[in-house]
Amino acid sequence: MPDRFDRIRWRRIVWRTLAVAAAALALSLAARGWFLHWQPDRARYPLRGIDVSHHQGAIDWNAVARDDVAFAYLKASEGGDHRDRRYAVNELEARAAGVAVGAYHFFTFCRTGAEQATNFLAAAPASAEALPPAVDLEFGGNCGRRPDAAAMRAELDAFLAPVEAAYAKPALLYVTPEFFDAYREALPPRPLWRRSILHVPDSRAAWTLWQYHNRARVEGIEGPVDLNVFEGNAAAFARWRNNAAQRRDPPVGAAQAATADSPVATKVSP
């Protein structure tokens, strides 16, 4: 009799364990699906874009354009001599598919700003239809050097001066939360492209682009890709694209924490 009761007890334990495991798996799959498909309010932010490099491999840009992608930032260069091997083909094919295209440069602390500007302009020459040039400012993937605020600003200014002269429009500064925390007060007054995964960027400074996802899926691209939205409607996007030199004050809600002398409280308003 005890053996029979033991078998029944162990059977119950096994079934309960299996039920808990199945529930956990279902919850995990649901969470993963929520994460992969999360997006901000598209009625408020109707223009969606991506940023890509050679890491995404060959891209079907016609499929990308059909999947609600209005703009794309393409990696063109990094540091003083690296150039993205897929930039030229991505630029050509994205434009042909009707996607608005901009180029970005990964800024390193181990080369001078002037050297990096030369590299970027050789990789992505200015064109009238291009979005404002962007500079990627982050610690991840950067060299081990960590300059003080004044040194960082001096080299960034040395990069921006020739790039903005060539493009005839202010550059866009991509900043991660860590970089923003470290150098916020030293950043020049430029539109910001803020990384803030799965939540709206905080109100310390207004933004023009918001990178809200880093593992999303888009038709025409194998594997994960970054997703972004523009702060404004199509008319505001056109003004920013074609006349980015005209800076506007940020709206009241976006700039509550930015004082009048804050160097980064700039954005393009609708």
Side-chain angles (χ1 to χ4, degrees), residues 39-40 42 45-52 61 64-65 67-74 99-101 131 193 208-214 216-218 221 225-231 237 240:
Q39 59 181 348
R42 296 303 308 286
Y45 308 114
L47 296 183
R48 185 172 84 149
I50 60 175
D51 56 277
V52 300
W61 284 100
V64 168
D67 194 16
D68 189 26
V69 171
F71 63 91
Y73 267 92
L74 316 175
V99 177
V101 174
L131 297 177
W193 176 4
T208 296
L209 294 186
W210 164 24
Q211 185 184 83
Y212 67 87
H213 213 306
N214 64 340
R217 296 294 189 272
V218 169
I221 298 177
V225 67
D226 297 333
L227 286 180
N228 310 271
V229 288
F230 175 75
E231 167 64 304
F237 185 82
W240 172 67

Side-chain angles (χ1 to χ4, degrees), residues 27-49:
L27 184 61
S28 175
L29 291 174
R32 184 175 186 274
W34 174 87
F35 171 76
L36 291 177
H37 295 94
W38 187 90
Q39 59 181 348
D41 181 358
R42 296 303 308 286
R44 181 173 181 180
Y45 308 114
L47 296 183
R48 185 172 84 149

Side-chain angles (χ1 to χ4, degrees), residues 77-165:
S77 55
E78 177 175 339
D81 50 24
H82 174 77
R83 298 177 190 174
D84 192 276
R85 61 179 178 268
R86 292 204 59 84
Y87 174 76
V89 67
N90 278 337
E91 181 194 28
L92 181 66
E93 294 180 357
R95 290 193 194 285
V99 177
V101 174
Y104 79 87
H105 172 82
F106 185 93
F107 192 86
T108 177
F109 300 136
C110 292
R111 299 293 291 267
T112 69
E115 289 177 301
Q116 296 187 68
T118 298
N119 187 33
F120 175 72
L121 291 173
S127 63
E129 66 270 22
L131 297 177
V135 54
D136 182 347
L137 300 170
E138 58 180 292
F139 297 130
N142 216 309
C143 67
R145 184 179 300 171
R146 185 72 67 89
D148 61 29
M152 184 283 298
R153 174 63 183 269
E155 295 302 338
L156 181 57
D157 284 347
F159 174 86
L160 293 174
V163 169
E164 293 178 332

